[in-house]
Amino acid sequence: MALLADGASGPTVGRLLDRMRHSAFQGRKLGEAFEVWQRMIDGDGLICLGLAGSLASAGLAPLIAWLVERGYVDVIASTSANVTEDLLEARGARFFQVEPEHVDDQELWRRGFYRFYDHVVGSGDYDAMEDFTRDFFEDLAKRWAGPTLPGVRFMHEFGRWLDGQELGATLAATCFRHRVPLFVPAAPDGPLAEGYRTARAKGPVVDFFADYQIALEIMGRYMPPGPGTSAVFLGGGVPKDFLQITATSVKAIRGETGPSPHLAAIQITTDNAVFGGLGGASVASECISWGKEAVDGLNVMLFADVTIALPLLCQGLLERYGATHSRSARAAIQTELASILDT
């Protein structure tokens, strides 16, 4: 099967991914991921997205926001870093590339830089970003009268605040505007922890266990006999587990003998399955044993760098659907989720 473009004018990445679907190894899996994501978009089910790794510092945050804007994802579970570190460039910080094999980390520390493998950012810019989040906690303490709030509502209010700070391109602000639930189960594991520590007024207690109840209510409405749920995992970690264990809990709540799995799943990871971590546990095999993914589901395990695979997939989706496309199921899903989040 030839993989090279045929020289015709017009979009080429989507056609290339279609051809790769009929090749082999991870090229084939990339093509399968493109095919399955289209089927998710064309369907009526709920599309979940898990975000792990340093995606924001690597420049991928605009792609995630683009997926939200077009309705290609309906629910997000993320690490804390990926919903805060996109503030760096939005607030004017600059990243600089370095060669990881030759860089002197002691010298970076002396000169005031923090390193993300092959790129660095000024420690002053990063620390200022952490301090900037302090203002959100103080603002929330003034506005929120109750003693507690769920984590997903906490992130909604964070997005509202960022939008008001003219930082609307950030992921949290984009999720706020489009009423996309943003779950951050380990929110203190990142810059928000420093903002909380230094805030003069701490405000309401964030109830992360309430998040799971909300997530279960959402999943319970969409898992069969509903229109179904699917998931795209960029990396593994807590976001992947948070979205997957909802399937086992929905099954337990229903008391049924059969599982209530996601009907389709794509994972893009470089983790190796043989070391036992969840990040490498295949959505096409091991996860089925837990009832998290369907035995007959559209499950694609793609072993690739997210910084390579995601831009190709997004470009392919742009070419396939056009610049102004919005998912047809989006409006109904937004209305349904808003009724849950506003209760």
Side-chain angles (χ1 to χ4, degrees):
M1 180 65 188
L3 294 181
L4 294 178
D6 57 15
S9 61
T12 58
V13 173
R15 287 188 291 145
L16 177 62
L17 291 171
D18 286 339
R19 294 183 180 191
M20 292 174 73
R21 165 68 178 81
H22 301 285
S23 64
F25 314 129
Q26 299 313 302
R28 169 186 171 182
K29 291 301 176 182
L30 182 60
E32 289 180 359
F34 182 53
E35 179 182 276
V36 170
W37 206 334
Q38 290 176 76
R39 295 183 68 169
M40 293 179 184
I41 291 168
D42 294 338
D44 296 326
L46 190 80
I47 306 176
C48 307
L49 179 67
L51 302 175
S54 293
L55 305 184
S57 74
L60 298 185
L63 291 182
I64 308 302
W66 179 83
L67 292 169
V68 171
E69 290 168 348
R70 293 168 70 96
Y72 294 174
V73 294
D74 304 304
V75 173
I76 294 179
S78 175
T79 58
S80 184
N82 279 318
V83 297
T84 50
E85 288 179 348
D86 60 347
L87 283 168
L88 288 165
E89 287 189 288
R91 298 184 70 243
R94 295 182 61 193
F95 286 91
F96 302 92
Q97 293 181 326
V98 297
E99 290 298 333
E101 292 83 4
H102 304 294
V103 71
D104 184 336
D105 285 287
Q106 185 175 359
E107 178 66 9
L108 288 177
W109 170 259
R110 187 187 68 79
R111 294 177 57 190
F113 287 98
Y114 296 149
R115 180 160 76 96
F116 301 79
Y117 180 59
D118 65 351
H119 55 287
V120 300
V121 68
S123 57
D125 288 329
Y126 198 97
D127 295 348
M129 179 268 291
E130 291 182 315
D131 291 340
F132 175 70
T133 66
R134 172 184 59 210
D135 297 339
F136 161 66
F137 286 98
E138 295 177 353
D139 177 77
L140 183 64
K142 295 176 183 177
R143 292 189 295 103
W144 195 267
T148 65
L149 82 169
V152 68
R153 186 56 188 262
F154 170 81
M155 293 310 305
H156 182 76
E157 295 302 321
F158 182 52
R160 183 199 304 274
W161 181 77
L162 290 176
D163 204 50
Q165 299 292 315
E166 299 185 352
L167 294 167
T170 57
L171 177 57
T174 303
C175 288
F176 158 72
R177 289 195 307 277
H178 293 280
R179 301 305 306 268
V180 168
L182 176 57
F183 294 96
V184 185
D189 184 24
L192 287 169
E194 188 66 11
Y196 178 80
R197 182 188 70 81
T198 58
R200 291 184 297 271
K202 305 298 186 185
V205 173
V206 181
D207 186 349
F208 292 105
F209 285 102
D211 269 17
Y212 195 59
Q213 292 283 35
I214 293 170
L216 290 180
E217 186 173 353
I218 292 172
M219 298 299 182
R221 291 197 189 188
Y222 280 89
M223 287 175 170
T229 61
S230 58
V232 178
F233 302 113
L234 305 181
V238 171
K240 178 185 179 185
D241 195 43
F242 182 85
L243 292 172
Q244 283 194 323
I245 61 174
T246 57
T248 62
S249 291
V250 168
K251 186 266 181 189
I253 292 169
R254 292 174 173 177
E256 299 172 353
T257 56
S260 301
H262 298 297
L263 300 182
I266 299 166
Q267 184 175 2
I268 306 172
T269 184
T270 55
D271 290 349
N272 194 314
V274 302
F275 299 115
L278 178 66
S282 177
V283 296
S285 57
E286 184 176 337
C287 295
I288 293 172
S289 74
W290 293 83
K292 298 173 179 178
E293 309 298 344
V295 64
D296 56 350
L298 302 171
N299 303 320
V300 180
M301 193 70 175
L302 170 60
F303 291 96
D305 188 330
V306 175
T307 64
I308 298 172
L310 185 63
L312 289 172
L313 290 170
C314 288
Q315 180 64 32
L317 293 175
L318 173 62
E319 293 177 0
R320 187 56 46 90
Y321 292 104
T324 61
H325 180 258
S326 181
R327 185 176 175 226
S328 60
R330 176 186 187 182
I333 290 174
Q334 281 183 318
T335 301
E336 182 81 5
L337 297 187
S339 69
I340 297 173
L341 295 175
D342 291 340
T343 56

